Amino acid sequence: MTALSSVIRAQLLWPLAFLFFAGCSTIATFDPVAYDKATGAKAEALALVDHATESYATRAKDAEAVLLTVNKACEYDRGRSLNNITVKQWEILLDPNGHLFGGFVERWKAKGSLRSAYIAEKRPDIAEAFDQIIGLEIGKRRTGSN
């Protein structure tokens, strides 16, 4: 594990620690739509990451479409009450100046294409960030109607 991976993991785990100590009454309940949006966004994002050895210019429309999908998932969660922890995780993931998906896409755009070694290093970090969001959703209390 790289030092950067440890920093990213720490950024993503603090909201889960907060959730544990704050209790369920301070967070939204499980939402199957949010879960579907997050898992779908993860699949699309990782598929896009795998194409980053190609020219960004040839994949720009794909990149914009995937960014839109990920942003829609974030906005869906933003519209849910008591969901600040999940929204913060989406913001970390999408930060264009960060080290996860948003930053990855920005780097790809700036460089034109990325080396396979760099992609292999970043892909697990991006996947784990999505897994943290998905895991948080799965761990939310379920209402009697779900």
Side-chain angles (χ1 to χ4, degrees):
M1 178 186 332
T2 66
L4 183 56
S5 293
S6 296
V7 169
I8 292 168
R9 182 169 281 118
Q11 280 183 320
L12 293 169
L13 289 178
W14 77 262
L16 293 177
F18 176 79
L19 170 65
F20 177 76
F21 292 112
C24 292
S25 64
T26 61
I27 192 162
T29 58
F30 174 77
D31 184 336
V33 173
Y35 173 81
D36 288 344
K37 286 181 178 292
T39 56
K42 176 187 176 184
E44 289 186 35
L46 293 179
L48 180 68
V49 164
D50 291 340
H51 290 286
T53 56
E54 300 172 28
S55 165
Y56 180 84
T58 63
R59 291 286 182 170
K61 286 185 180 182
D62 296 335
E64 292 302 319
V66 174
L67 281 168
L68 180 60
T69 297
V70 178
N71 275 293
K72 284 180 181 179
C74 176
E75 288 305 314
Y76 180 84
D77 274 334
R78 191 182 310 280
R80 297 171 58 208
S81 62
L82 301 175
N83 213 29
N84 293 338
I85 296 169
T86 304
V87 170
K88 180 64 177 166
Q89 287 183 305
W90 281 117
E91 289 170 350
I92 292 168
L93 178 80
L94 282 163
D95 181 1
N97 299 313
H99 300 286
L100 295 171
F101 187 65
F104 180 91
V105 173
E106 284 299 312
R107 182 179 180 102
W108 182 18
K109 186 188 296 186
K111 299 269 185 190
S113 65
L114 299 173
R115 294 177 297 115
S116 296
Y118 179 77
I119 294 166
E121 180 183 321
K122 297 309 295 178
R123 192 179 198 284
D125 294 338
I126 293 167
E128 184 174 334
F130 275 103
D131 288 343
Q132 291 290 327
I133 293 167
I134 293 163
L136 179 57
E137 191 62 42
I138 289 170
K140 291 176 181 174
R141 183 177 46 86
R142 299 184 190 245
T143 62
S145 61
N146 284 344

